Amino acid sequence: MRPTVHDIAAAAGVSLATVDRVLNQRPGVRLVTREKVEEAIRQIGYIRDVAAANLAKGRVYPLVFIVPTGDNSFMHGLRFEVNQAILRASIERTDIRVVEVPAFDVPALVAALDALQGQDIAGVALVATDAPEVRAAVGRLVSERIPVVTLVSDLTDSARHHYAGIDNIAAGRTAARLLGRFLGGHDGDITVLAGSMLVRDHRERLQGFSAVMAQEFPKLRLLPVLEGRDDPERTQSLISRALSENKNIIGIYSLGAGNRGLIAALKAVRPERELTVVVHELTQHTRTALLDGTIDAVLNQDAGHEVRSAIRVMKATADGQAVIADQERIRLDIFLKDNLP
Amino acid sequence: MRPTVHDIAAAAGVSLATVDRVLNQRPGVRLVTREKVEEAIRQIGYIRDVAAANLAKGRVYPLVFIVPTGDNSFMHGLRFEVNQAILRASIERTDIRVVEVPAFDVPALVAALDALQGQDIAGVALVATDAPEVRAAVGRLVSERIPVVTLVSDLTDSARHHYAGIDNIAAGRTAARLLGRFLGGHDGDITVLAGSMLVRDHRERLQGFSAVMAQEFPKLRLLPVLEGRDDPERTQSLISRALSENKNIIGIYSLGAGNRGLIAALKAVRPERELTVVVHELTQHTRTALLDGTIDAVLNQDAGHEVRSAIRVMKATADGQAVIADQERIRLDIFLKDNLP
DNA sequence: AAATTTTTGATTTACGTACATCAGAAATGG
DNA sequence: CCATTTCTGATGTACGTAAATCAAAAATTT
């Protein structure tokens, strides 16, 4: 049987009340006594029964998710997963609130973060926009001892406790190698399609992609990045024009959202033109396109895993508990036609 | 606040004791009363607080992991992860026992399973050997209402509650597509290296691999499968001989363990011979080989995820609770040089 | 040494559920 | 209608921890 508070009391030769004072850092314990108790805790290897403690405290974890508005399917999926988590809220003793903030709107994000100051909150998860003001606002929350987790998009050099998302540089590198290898030793041009170069994840993906391309596939030339702004129509016309103007394009890397337009453009040139295409985010559209051969590989991050991981980490951080690091590593999923879930 | 047993009692107009009798299916409740209570439970949407219930019951989950002996690195890794889970046992209210059984020894596996009958066990996880006797033994445990989860290797048409492992057919198909695409339109022979064709996962991987190869890459010819029996030395000599006897080999798929021998054989012919190699299981050896370019892709299943998932599922099944299906899907990891963890 | 402050102990209640006991009520049998 | 069986209610204890209260003991100050 695992040791309880009673065992500590007995081992330390003090009363239960004193043990409780030490465990919950309440005042009124002499230093020597406190040390005696802490020694006993270590000696007998006491571990607090979190479930029982939460029961006694009536503990709930008020969590806040700050997610961008915007209608690209990835963010839709993310909000869907947060809503799924809300359905499990009572079981998991969480109380999840969602705050929507316009995408890329730094002042709005900062305002949303600052509005949480002083509130009784067990954790904040945010899709970060990488700006100094956001970094500062996160710092203010952290200094108030509020656990902060970045979700999907990280914040460089910030005080955030954890990042629940993929390594975007590695994702870009992986895309480059897939595309490079799939194209064999062929010669030609590669088009990169991004949502916007203002987003950190897109910049990082491009950075990784370019690095591997330059280093390992010198026969493939990178064309200037096209910015589709996650807009299907704009994307479609950009790609269509690029393809008709440049017959040397043999590969496409789409590192952002807005793949619907890309797929439409591809279908238009499809039987004649041979193209190898790697895209990000598994959606209904990309899944279908992968199955019918319009695209060749999909890189994905599992929004459900990210949300659940963020919740676990926020709760653990709030309790000062350790997390299973390996379990919380968000993996880059590579989907080919054959291993779709 | 979420409703409690007291709320049910009030809503149904019965006493707490009666609610308890209904909830825990104890005898001594008239049918009409029982239905009244069940209706109230539905009405107010009561959900049992599992943490509090476990506390009251002093519940621990005695779990048994049946894993094969044998020294290949994947099984080592699996046992390591089970041991990690044992370290967390007290926190998670589990009491994990490991039973080792000689690999491929059906009678021994059946004996191990049957030995569990009648014991107070909250769940069994086994690396299944696909045989009718095993299927029957699993059926006996299931009919005793013991949750059974297959781990890594599944059992066809059995009564097991859950399978915590990857889809091996899909893994084989994925390997084929990777290899086929990496080889561009080239012409040549492909060697498949297996541990033993007696194992179901290996057979399934081969099945998926052959199917995609035949259908989509007709220029690549599959050579007869080499069985390395997970023995590095045997594997090395098999591969070395095959490579020297057949200069047409341009690709290798290693679908089992024993990659150390393969890597050694590859290194011996490396600078001269161009080979595209896809292997299974990320280990220290395959990781290094991936980084130095000896192999091109590693398919992997995360043993840690499998073990943790199996535990969650066994606990949930024992409690008659639902699992988050999406969370328990074990994914096939594809590692290239660039996305290693 | 007395007065004061600080520490400590003892005890109680609570969280939501499980489980046991016993008395009393209702239903059923004859 | 009484005896018997079956059901129901009331109540208490327990699980491991939190938190509060009050009294008693020790340490500190005057």
mmCIF file of all heavy atoms in Angstrom, chain A residues 8 12-15 17-42, chain C residues 6-9:
data_model
loop_
_atom_site.group_PDB
_atom_site.id
_atom_site.type_symbol
_atom_site.label_atom_id
_atom_site.label_comp_id
_atom_site.label_asym_id
_atom_site.label_seq_id
_atom_site.Cartn_x
_atom_site.Cartn_y
_atom_site.Cartn_z
ATOM 1 N N ILE A 8 3.238 9.696 7.108
ATOM 2 C CA ILE A 8 4.225 10.768 7.286
ATOM 3 C C ILE A 8 4.204 11.241 8.724
ATOM 4 O O ILE A 8 5.246 11.401 9.370
ATOM 5 C CB ILE A 8 3.918 11.975 6.385
ATOM 6 C CG1 ILE A 8 3.807 11.549 4.925
ATOM 7 C CG2 ILE A 8 4.993 13.033 6.533
ATOM 8 C CD1 ILE A 8 3.405 12.702 4.018
ATOM 9 N N ALA A 12 7.370 11.087 11.091
ATOM 10 C CA ALA A 12 8.025 12.313 11.511
ATOM 11 C C ALA A 12 7.762 12.615 12.988
ATOM 12 O O ALA A 12 8.367 13.514 13.563
ATOM 13 C CB ALA A 12 7.547 13.473 10.643
ATOM 14 N N GLY A 13 6.865 11.870 13.588
ATOM 15 C CA GLY A 13 6.536 12.110 14.986
ATOM 16 C C GLY A 13 5.829 13.440 15.198
ATOM 17 O O GLY A 13 6.031 14.117 16.205
ATOM 18 N N VAL A 14 5.021 13.820 14.247
ATOM 19 C CA VAL A 14 4.248 15.055 14.398
ATOM 20 C C VAL A 14 2.779 14.722 14.155
ATOM 21 O O VAL A 14 2.431 13.592 13.848
ATOM 22 C CB VAL A 14 4.706 16.139 13.400
ATOM 23 C CG1 VAL A 14 6.166 16.475 13.600
ATOM 24 C CG2 VAL A 14 4.442 15.695 11.970
ATOM 25 N N SER A 15 1.957 15.723 14.287
ATOM 26 C CA SER A 15 0.534 15.462 14.067
ATOM 27 C C SER A 15 0.177 15.638 12.600
ATOM 28 O O SER A 15 0.937 16.190 11.802
ATOM 29 C CB SER A 15 -0.311 16.419 14.888
ATOM 30 O OG SER A 15 -0.356 17.663 14.239
ATOM 31 N N ALA A 17 -2.025 17.549 11.411
ATOM 32 C CA ALA A 17 -2.204 18.956 11.067
ATOM 33 C C ALA A 17 -0.891 19.565 10.603
ATOM 34 O O ALA A 17 -0.854 20.347 9.651
ATOM 35 C CB ALA A 17 -2.751 19.712 12.270
ATOM 36 N N THR A 18 0.174 19.188 11.272
ATOM 37 C CA THR A 18 1.474 19.737 10.894
ATOM 38 C C THR A 18 1.892 19.242 9.519
ATOM 39 O O THR A 18 2.409 20.002 8.693
ATOM 40 C CB THR A 18 2.529 19.347 11.940
ATOM 41 O OG1 THR A 18 2.097 19.839 13.202
ATOM 42 C CG2 THR A 18 3.871 19.938 11.602
ATOM 43 N N VAL A 19 1.660 17.969 9.282
ATOM 44 C CA VAL A 19 1.973 17.419 7.958
ATOM 45 C C VAL A 19 1.217 18.199 6.897
ATOM 46 O O VAL A 19 1.779 18.603 5.873
ATOM 47 C CB VAL A 19 1.596 15.923 7.886
ATOM 48 C CG1 VAL A 19 1.762 15.406 6.465
ATOM 49 C CG2 VAL A 19 2.429 15.120 8.856
ATOM 50 N N ASP A 20 -0.041 18.438 7.179
ATOM 51 C CA ASP A 20 -0.855 19.181 6.228
ATOM 52 C C ASP A 20 -0.288 20.573 5.998
ATOM 53 O O ASP A 20 -0.212 21.055 4.877
ATOM 54 C CB ASP A 20 -2.286 19.276 6.758
ATOM 55 C CG ASP A 20 -3.179 20.030 5.801
ATOM 56 O OD1 ASP A 20 -3.420 19.501 4.703
ATOM 57 O OD2 ASP A 20 -3.598 21.156 6.134
ATOM 58 N N ARG A 21 0.156 21.212 7.070
ATOM 59 C CA ARG A 21 0.725 22.554 6.925
ATOM 60 C C ARG A 21 1.953 22.532 6.030
ATOM 61 O O ARG A 21 2.140 23.407 5.183
ATOM 62 C CB ARG A 21 1.083 23.111 8.305
ATOM 63 C CG ARG A 21 -0.142 23.478 9.124
ATOM 64 C CD ARG A 21 0.220 23.964 10.530
ATOM 65 N NE ARG A 21 -0.997 24.152 11.315
ATOM 66 C CZ ARG A 21 -1.281 23.478 12.433
ATOM 67 N NH1 ARG A 21 -0.421 22.598 12.928
ATOM 68 N NH2 ARG A 21 -2.416 23.686 13.060
ATOM 69 N N VAL A 22 2.777 21.518 6.230
ATOM 70 C CA VAL A 22 3.983 21.438 5.405
ATOM 71 C C VAL A 22 3.608 21.150 3.953
ATOM 72 O O VAL A 22 4.065 21.831 3.026
ATOM 73 C CB VAL A 22 4.928 20.331 5.931
ATOM 74 C CG1 VAL A 22 6.099 20.125 4.981
ATOM 75 C CG2 VAL A 22 5.434 20.694 7.315
ATOM 76 N N LEU A 23 2.753 20.152 3.771
ATOM 77 C CA LEU A 23 2.404 19.735 2.407
ATOM 78 C C LEU A 23 1.786 20.863 1.615
ATOM 79 O O LEU A 23 2.035 21.018 0.421
ATOM 80 C CB LEU A 23 1.423 18.557 2.455
ATOM 81 C CG LEU A 23 2.021 17.173 2.624
ATOM 82 C CD1 LEU A 23 0.929 16.130 2.735
ATOM 83 C CD2 LEU A 23 2.928 16.849 1.445
ATOM 84 N N ASN A 24 0.966 21.662 2.264
ATOM 85 C CA ASN A 24 0.283 22.719 1.531
ATOM 86 C C ASN A 24 0.861 24.094 1.838
ATOM 87 O O ASN A 24 0.179 25.103 1.710
ATOM 88 C CB ASN A 24 -1.219 22.657 1.834
ATOM 89 C CG ASN A 24 -1.804 21.343 1.360
ATOM 90 O OD1 ASN A 24 -1.886 21.084 0.177
ATOM 91 N ND2 ASN A 24 -2.170 20.475 2.311
ATOM 92 N N GLN A 25 2.121 24.058 2.246
ATOM 93 C CA GLN A 25 2.871 25.272 2.551
ATOM 94 C C GLN A 25 2.026 26.336 3.238
ATOM 95 O O GLN A 25 1.968 27.490 2.809
ATOM 96 C CB GLN A 25 3.544 25.855 1.301
ATOM 97 C CG GLN A 25 2.887 25.499 0.015
ATOM 98 C CD GLN A 25 3.888 25.082 -1.075
ATOM 99 O OE1 GLN A 25 5.089 24.934 -0.836
ATOM 100 N NE2 GLN A 25 3.391 24.885 -2.260
ATOM 101 N N ARG A 26 1.401 25.892 4.318
ATOM 102 C CA ARG A 26 0.679 26.834 5.159
ATOM 103 C C ARG A 26 1.623 27.305 6.263
ATOM 104 O O ARG A 26 2.553 26.579 6.627
ATOM 105 C CB ARG A 26 -0.532 26.136 5.795
ATOM 106 C CG ARG A 26 -1.796 26.275 4.985
ATOM 107 C CD ARG A 26 -2.979 25.676 5.735
ATOM 108 N NE ARG A 26 -3.158 24.286 5.362
ATOM 109 C CZ ARG A 26 -3.820 23.896 4.276
ATOM 110 N NH1 ARG A 26 -4.333 24.785 3.456
ATOM 111 N NH2 ARG A 26 -3.958 22.621 3.994
ATOM 112 N N PRO A 27 1.416 28.505 6.789
ATOM 113 C CA PRO A 27 2.335 29.029 7.803
ATOM 114 C C PRO A 27 2.133 28.346 9.153
ATOM 115 O O PRO A 27 1.184 27.585 9.337
ATOM 116 C CB PRO A 27 1.942 30.507 7.883
ATOM 117 C CG PRO A 27 0.494 30.534 7.492
ATOM 118 C CD PRO A 27 0.327 29.443 6.466
ATOM 119 N N GLY A 28 3.038 28.651 10.048
ATOM 120 C CA GLY A 28 2.890 28.151 11.404
ATOM 121 C C GLY A 28 3.646 26.877 11.674
ATOM 122 O O GLY A 28 3.228 26.062 12.490
ATOM 123 N N VAL A 29 4.759 26.684 10.965
ATOM 124 C CA VAL A 29 5.600 25.518 11.245
ATOM 125 C C VAL A 29 7.040 25.998 11.368
ATOM 126 O O VAL A 29 7.541 26.726 10.511
ATOM 127 C CB VAL A 29 5.499 24.469 10.119
ATOM 128 C CG1 VAL A 29 6.304 23.235 10.489
ATOM 129 C CG2 VAL A 29 4.056 24.114 9.855
ATOM 130 N N ARG A 30 7.665 25.599 12.446
ATOM 131 C CA ARG A 30 9.061 25.975 12.636
ATOM 132 C C ARG A 30 9.917 25.316 11.564
ATOM 133 O O ARG A 30 9.591 24.218 11.085
ATOM 134 C CB ARG A 30 9.541 25.511 14.004
ATOM 135 C CG ARG A 30 9.814 26.649 14.973
ATOM 136 C CD ARG A 30 10.481 26.104 16.204
ATOM 137 N NE ARG A 30 9.847 24.843 16.623
ATOM 138 C CZ ARG A 30 10.386 24.012 17.489
ATOM 139 N NH1 ARG A 30 11.581 24.267 18.022
ATOM 140 N NH2 ARG A 30 9.764 22.909 17.839
ATOM 141 N N LEU A 31 11.028 25.973 11.238
ATOM 142 C CA LEU A 31 11.884 25.455 10.181
ATOM 143 C C LEU A 31 12.323 24.032 10.469
ATOM 144 O O LEU A 31 12.266 23.152 9.595
ATOM 145 C CB LEU A 31 13.105 26.366 10.005
ATOM 146 C CG LEU A 31 13.997 26.002 8.819
ATOM 147 C CD1 LEU A 31 13.224 26.161 7.513
ATOM 148 C CD2 LEU A 31 15.265 26.822 8.793
ATOM 149 N N VAL A 32 12.754 23.777 11.702
ATOM 150 C CA VAL A 32 13.262 22.429 12.038
ATOM 151 C C VAL A 32 12.170 21.386 11.871
ATOM 152 O O VAL A 32 12.409 20.295 11.341
ATOM 153 C CB VAL A 32 13.812 22.375 13.487
ATOM 154 C CG1 VAL A 32 15.215 22.938 13.536
ATOM 155 C CG2 VAL A 32 12.895 23.107 14.440
ATOM 156 N N THR A 33 10.983 21.727 12.306
ATOM 157 C CA THR A 33 9.870 20.773 12.172
ATOM 158 C C THR A 33 9.558 20.519 10.711
ATOM 159 O O THR A 33 9.400 19.381 10.275
ATOM 160 C CB THR A 33 8.622 21.324 12.869
ATOM 161 O OG1 THR A 33 8.990 21.883 14.123
ATOM 162 C CG2 THR A 33 7.601 20.229 13.065
ATOM 163 N N ARG A 34 9.506 21.584 9.971
ATOM 164 C CA ARG A 34 9.236 21.468 8.525
ATOM 165 C C ARG A 34 10.260 20.545 7.878
ATOM 166 O O ARG A 34 9.916 19.669 7.089
ATOM 167 C CB ARG A 34 9.267 22.870 7.912
ATOM 168 C CG ARG A 34 9.567 22.928 6.414
ATOM 169 C CD ARG A 34 9.126 24.238 5.792
ATOM 170 N NE ARG A 34 7.692 24.242 5.584
ATOM 171 C CZ ARG A 34 6.858 25.171 6.013
ATOM 172 N NH1 ARG A 34 7.324 26.184 6.712
ATOM 173 N NH2 ARG A 34 5.575 25.081 5.776
ATOM 174 N N GLU A 35 11.510 20.723 8.233
ATOM 175 C CA GLU A 35 12.551 19.883 7.628
ATOM 176 C C GLU A 35 12.403 18.432 8.043
ATOM 177 O O GLU A 35 12.624 17.509 7.252
ATOM 178 C CB GLU A 35 13.943 20.410 8.002
ATOM 179 C CG GLU A 35 14.348 21.592 7.110
ATOM 180 C CD GLU A 35 15.580 22.310 7.638
ATOM 181 O OE1 GLU A 35 16.008 22.012 8.779
ATOM 182 O OE2 GLU A 35 16.098 23.178 6.903
ATOM 183 N N LYS A 36 12.005 18.248 9.295
ATOM 184 C CA LYS A 36 11.796 16.889 9.795
ATOM 185 C C LYS A 36 10.711 16.204 8.963
ATOM 186 O O LYS A 36 10.856 15.059 8.533
ATOM 187 C CB LYS A 36 11.380 16.966 11.272
ATOM 188 C CG LYS A 36 11.624 15.725 12.070
ATOM 189 C CD LYS A 36 11.484 16.002 13.578
ATOM 190 C CE LYS A 36 10.108 16.571 13.929
ATOM 191 N NZ LYS A 36 9.911 16.741 15.390
ATOM 192 N N VAL A 37 9.650 16.938 8.728
ATOM 193 C CA VAL A 37 8.531 16.368 7.959
ATOM 194 C C VAL A 37 8.961 16.090 6.515
ATOM 195 O O VAL A 37 8.696 15.018 5.966
ATOM 196 C CB VAL A 37 7.321 17.329 7.986
ATOM 197 C CG1 VAL A 37 6.226 16.830 7.055
ATOM 198 C CG2 VAL A 37 6.802 17.457 9.403
ATOM 199 N N GLU A 38 9.659 17.057 5.948
ATOM 200 C CA GLU A 38 10.081 16.870 4.555
ATOM 201 C C GLU A 38 11.015 15.681 4.427
ATOM 202 O O GLU A 38 10.967 14.937 3.434
ATOM 203 C CB GLU A 38 10.762 18.148 4.040
ATOM 204 C CG GLU A 38 9.723 19.180 3.591
ATOM 205 C CD GLU A 38 10.297 20.583 3.444
ATOM 206 O OE1 GLU A 38 11.456 20.809 3.871
ATOM 207 O OE2 GLU A 38 9.579 21.460 2.925
ATOM 208 N N GLU A 39 11.833 15.497 5.432
ATOM 209 C CA GLU A 39 12.727 14.339 5.431
ATOM 210 C C GLU A 39 11.918 13.045 5.459
ATOM 211 O O GLU A 39 12.176 12.105 4.702
ATOM 212 C CB GLU A 39 13.673 14.413 6.636
ATOM 213 C CG GLU A 39 14.610 13.224 6.775
ATOM 214 C CD GLU A 39 15.460 12.986 5.527
ATOM 215 O OE1 GLU A 39 15.630 13.931 4.736
ATOM 216 O OE2 GLU A 39 15.909 11.844 5.323
ATOM 217 N N ALA A 40 10.903 13.036 6.312
ATOM 218 C CA ALA A 40 10.057 11.837 6.409
ATOM 219 C C ALA A 40 9.362 11.552 5.084
ATOM 220 O O ALA A 40 9.266 10.397 4.646
ATOM 221 C CB ALA A 40 9.025 12.029 7.520
ATOM 222 N N ILE A 41 8.891 12.614 4.445
ATOM 223 C CA ILE A 41 8.229 12.456 3.148
ATOM 224 C C ILE A 41 9.166 11.779 2.159
ATOM 225 O O ILE A 41 8.791 10.837 1.454
ATOM 226 C CB ILE A 41 7.782 13.833 2.599
ATOM 227 C CG1 ILE A 41 6.650 14.390 3.468
ATOM 228 C CG2 ILE A 41 7.334 13.726 1.151
ATOM 229 C CD1 ILE A 41 6.230 15.790 3.104
ATOM 230 N N ARG A 42 10.388 12.255 2.154
ATOM 231 C CA ARG A 42 11.369 11.670 1.244
ATOM 232 C C ARG A 42 11.662 10.215 1.631
ATOM 233 O O ARG A 42 11.672 9.323 0.792
ATOM 234 C CB ARG A 42 12.647 12.505 1.260
ATOM 235 C CG ARG A 42 13.007 13.063 -0.115
ATOM 236 C CD ARG A 42 14.158 14.039 -0.035
ATOM 237 N NE ARG A 42 13.775 15.281 0.623
ATOM 238 C CZ ARG A 42 14.358 15.767 1.727
ATOM 239 N NH1 ARG A 42 15.362 15.097 2.296
ATOM 240 N NH2 ARG A 42 13.931 16.886 2.263
ATOM 241 P P DT C 6 3.951 36.310 16.400
ATOM 242 O OP1 DT C 6 4.804 37.077 15.462
ATOM 243 O OP2 DT C 6 2.482 36.318 16.267
ATOM 244 O "O5'" DT C 6 4.451 34.811 16.414
ATOM 245 C "C5'" DT C 6 5.751 34.514 16.909
ATOM 246 C "C4'" DT C 6 5.905 33.029 17.081
ATOM 247 O "O4'" DT C 6 5.078 32.558 18.177
ATOM 248 C "C3'" DT C 6 5.484 32.200 15.862
ATOM 249 O "O3'" DT C 6 6.541 31.313 15.550
ATOM 250 C "C2'" DT C 6 4.228 31.466 16.331
ATOM 251 C "C1'" DT C 6 4.516 31.321 17.818
ATOM 252 N N1 DT C 6 3.315 31.097 18.687
ATOM 253 C C2 DT C 6 3.295 29.989 19.502
ATOM 254 O O2 DT C 6 4.178 29.174 19.551
ATOM 255 N N3 DT C 6 2.162 29.881 20.285
ATOM 256 C C4 DT C 6 1.088 30.751 20.324
ATOM 257 O O4 DT C 6 0.129 30.541 21.063
ATOM 258 C C5 DT C 6 1.176 31.880 19.445
ATOM 259 C C7 DT C 6 0.073 32.876 19.403
ATOM 260 C C6 DT C 6 2.272 32.010 18.664
ATOM 261 P P DT C 7 6.621 30.543 14.132
ATOM 262 O OP1 DT C 7 7.911 30.790 13.497
ATOM 263 O OP2 DT C 7 5.360 30.807 13.407
ATOM 264 O "O5'" DT C 7 6.626 29.032 14.635
ATOM 265 C "C5'" DT C 7 5.683 28.696 15.564
ATOM 266 C "C4'" DT C 7 6.002 27.369 16.210
ATOM 267 O "O4'" DT C 7 5.093 27.272 17.328
ATOM 268 C "C3'" DT C 7 5.721 26.177 15.326
ATOM 269 O "O3'" DT C 7 6.526 25.083 15.754
ATOM 270 C "C2'" DT C 7 4.238 25.935 15.568
ATOM 271 C "C1'" DT C 7 4.075 26.330 17.050
ATOM 272 N N1 DT C 7 2.754 26.981 17.378
ATOM 273 C C2 DT C 7 2.009 26.424 18.390
ATOM 274 O O2 DT C 7 2.358 25.449 19.021
ATOM 275 N N3 DT C 7 0.821 27.067 18.640
ATOM 276 C C4 DT C 7 0.320 28.180 17.990
ATOM 277 O O4 DT C 7 -0.763 28.667 18.308
ATOM 278 C C5 DT C 7 1.163 28.711 16.940
ATOM 279 C C7 DT C 7 0.725 29.916 16.171
ATOM 280 C C6 DT C 7 2.334 28.090 16.680
ATOM 281 P P DT C 8 6.503 23.687 14.918
ATOM 282 O OP1 DT C 8 7.725 22.923 15.246
ATOM 283 O OP2 DT C 8 6.154 23.986 13.525
ATOM 284 O "O5'" DT C 8 5.277 22.953 15.590
ATOM 285 C "C5'" DT C 8 5.482 22.212 16.790
ATOM 286 C "C4'" DT C 8 4.163 21.725 17.319
ATOM 287 O "O4'" DT C 8 3.201 22.790 17.348
ATOM 288 C "C3'" DT C 8 3.491 20.627 16.505
ATOM 289 O "O3'" DT C 8 3.739 19.390 17.158
ATOM 290 C "C2'" DT C 8 2.007 21.004 16.472
ATOM 291 C "C1'" DT C 8 1.939 22.187 17.429
ATOM 292 N N1 DT C 8 0.904 23.221 17.101
ATOM 293 C C2 DT C 8 -0.206 23.332 17.907
ATOM 294 O O2 DT C 8 -0.410 22.616 18.865
ATOM 295 N N3 DT C 8 -1.093 24.316 17.533
ATOM 296 C C4 DT C 8 -0.960 25.185 16.461
ATOM 297 O O4 DT C 8 -1.817 26.038 16.235
ATOM 298 C C5 DT C 8 0.223 25.020 15.666
ATOM 299 C C7 DT C 8 0.459 25.899 14.481
ATOM 300 C C6 DT C 8 1.098 24.055 16.004
ATOM 301 P P DG C 9 3.051 18.047 16.631
ATOM 302 O OP1 DG C 9 3.815 16.905 17.168
ATOM 303 O OP2 DG C 9 2.799 18.187 15.186
ATOM 304 O "O5'" DG C 9 1.658 18.121 17.400
ATOM 305 C "C5'" DG C 9 1.655 18.178 18.815
ATOM 306 C "C4'" DG C 9 0.265 17.924 19.353
ATOM 307 O "O4'" DG C 9 -0.586 19.093 19.088
ATOM 308 C "C3'" DG C 9 -0.463 16.735 18.729
ATOM 309 O "O3'" DG C 9 -1.103 16.030 19.791
ATOM 310 C "C2'" DG C 9 -1.479 17.359 17.774
ATOM 311 C "C1'" DG C 9 -1.779 18.700 18.415
ATOM 312 N N9 DG C 9 -2.089 19.787 17.499
ATOM 313 C C8 DG C 9 -1.363 20.206 16.416
ATOM 314 N N7 DG C 9 -1.881 21.243 15.805
ATOM 315 C C5 DG C 9 -3.022 21.529 16.535
ATOM 316 C C6 DG C 9 -3.993 22.546 16.340
ATOM 317 O O6 DG C 9 -4.030 23.424 15.476
ATOM 318 N N1 DG C 9 -5.000 22.476 17.299
ATOM 319 C C2 DG C 9 -5.058 21.555 18.312
ATOM 320 N N2 DG C 9 -6.093 21.638 19.125
ATOM 321 N N3 DG C 9 -4.155 20.597 18.505
ATOM 322 C C4 DG C 9 -3.170 20.645 17.571
#
